[in-house]
Each structure stands twice: as structure tokens, then as C-alpha cells.
Amino acid sequence: MDQPDDSGELPGMLVEEYLEREAGVRALLDDLERQALEGDHEEVRERVRGLAEENRSVFFTVALSLTGSAQFFGDVEAQLDVTAADRLRDLADTYPALAEPFSVVRNEQARDRHNPVTGLETTTSYHAEEALPLIRYTVRSGDVDLYEGCESPEEVLGVATQFVRSTTDALEAAMDDDFSVNTEELSNLIDRREELESELDRLRGQIDELRRRPIGDK
């Protein structure tokens, strides 16, 4: 099973502490669910982070319960009993709006991430006076809007170039230290590189066409 905690604690040990505090934890989850339904996603995430820092056992018990992991519930049944597992299964049905923030914070806790980006929403417009396309975008991490901006294509590509450069710097540093990259990450890197090359080919063609087009032509 994907270990819920880097301390190697067994699921039963984690769940026992949750069960001792169940009434108080459920009161907290009730409040968090209300906030999530009201759209206060950033505050919900901060409070979930606070729970993870204050009590990792309770946090990971709730996080794993909200994902509906069959193996986790099976381990709980084997180490405790069916009743304990059923009480945990009820969390996913009672607090569906909390699955996302607990999943994101679990990723932060277990994999040393922070505000992992899960989506990018974009729209385009055109500023006629400057003869300039514009890109409006929102960077999202689950239900939390991390950043909103409106920039020209050149400005957006400037940021993208910095991200690509930081990626190659990170890989180079790992290789210099004789570190490896796991198979899944490497496979995904290959896919992302191919997608990037395809988009750069489109961009190259568009730039060539624009260079041949007199300014002011539609």
C-alpha cells in the first residue's frame, strides 16, 4: 500500500488515534465542508494544512478515507475490525467537498510539493490600438485560484522559457549528482517534451506568416 506516512506507521495505528478523537474531528470536518461549499477554498486548504501539521495520524486517516482506497479499508478491517472501516467509509459520503483539499495537502505532505498546479484556464482577446493579442489566464490548484494574469504572447512565453530553463537546470543538477529520475516521471517528461515541440512548430509557422504580413492587415 502507498504508505500514508513516511514514519512507516501501520493503518491501524493511525486509525486508532482518529477514533479516539472522532467527535472533535467530525466537528472540524463539518465546518470545513461548510466553508468549501461556500467557496472559501483557500481558507479550507490552510486549515487542512494546519491539521496535517498538528496531527499527522488523524490527517492521513481522513485523507485516505476520503479517497475511498479499498486497500486502506481492507487493512483497517484486518488490523482493527469492520466497524472501524465502515466509520471511515462514511467520511467520503459525508464530506465529498473535502476530497480535493485533503488530496492536495496529502500530496504536499508525502511528496514535498506545494500548491501543485492542476489546471490552467485561458481566454484570448485582442487590443486593437496596440495591434496586440492578449492572453488572460488563471492558474489553479484544485479549487484554489493561485494566480490571475493578462499578458501579451511574448510576455507569456518569457515566463514559459524560465520554467523550461528551471526544468533543465533541475535535471542537470540531478545528473551531476548521479541521481536518477523515476520511470513514470521520465515517461511523462518525454510526453511533455513532444507536446512542447509540437506547439513550438505551430508557433514557428505562425511567426513566419506574421513576418510576411504587413502590419495592419487582418
Side-chain angles (χ1 to χ4, degrees), residues 42-208:
E42 191 168 352
E43 177 63 19
V44 169
R45 184 171 298 184
E46 285 303 317
R47 294 183 68 186
V48 173
R49 285 178 177 140
L51 175 62
E53 293 299 324
E54 293 167 9
N55 194 316
R56 288 176 64 82
S57 294
V58 170
F59 165 76
F60 277 104
T61 297
V62 175
L64 288 165
S65 299
L66 290 174
T67 64
S69 168
Q71 186 170 355
F72 172 68
F73 294 135
D75 288 341
V76 172
E77 289 185 13
Q79 295 170 30
L80 297 178
D81 54 43
V82 174
T83 301
D86 286 343
R87 286 160 69 178
L88 297 179
R89 289 188 180 97
D90 182 63
L91 293 178
D93 293 331
T94 307
Y95 306 107
L98 299 184
E100 181 274 329
F102 270 87
S103 177
V104 169
V105 176
R106 181 188 171 200
N107 194 20
E108 292 179 344
Q109 291 286 321
R111 303 178 64 200
D112 198 24
R113 305 293 199 266
H114 185 71
N115 283 331
V117 175
T118 59
L120 178 66
E121 298 179 1
T122 63
T123 59
T124 61
S125 59
Y126 188 79
H127 194 292
E129 292 181 2
E130 294 188 39
L132 192 64
L134 294 174
I135 302 163
R136 296 182 182 275
Y137 59 90
T138 302
V139 181
R140 299 177 60 83
S141 177
D143 292 324
V144 175
D145 292 347
L146 298 178
Y147 181 75
E148 295 181 357
C150 181
E151 302 178 72
S152 73
E154 177 275 325
E155 290 166 332
V156 170
L157 283 180
V159 175
T161 300
Q162 294 179 53
F163 275 123
V164 173
R165 184 177 298 120
S166 67
T167 298
T168 55
D169 288 345
L171 294 173
E172 184 174 9
M175 291 187 292
D176 287 345
D177 290 331
D178 292 325
F179 294 148
S180 60
V181 174
N182 70 67
T183 303
E184 181 181 4
E185 177 72 10
L186 184 57
S187 176
N188 289 336
L189 271 174
I190 293 171
D191 291 342
R192 297 292 181 267
R193 185 203 64 193
E194 291 175 351
E195 292 170 2
L196 183 59
E197 289 173 346
S198 176
E199 292 301 325
L200 287 174
D201 285 342
R202 287 182 61 201
L203 178 62
R204 186 177 297 109
Q206 291 169 336
I207 290 175
D208 287 344

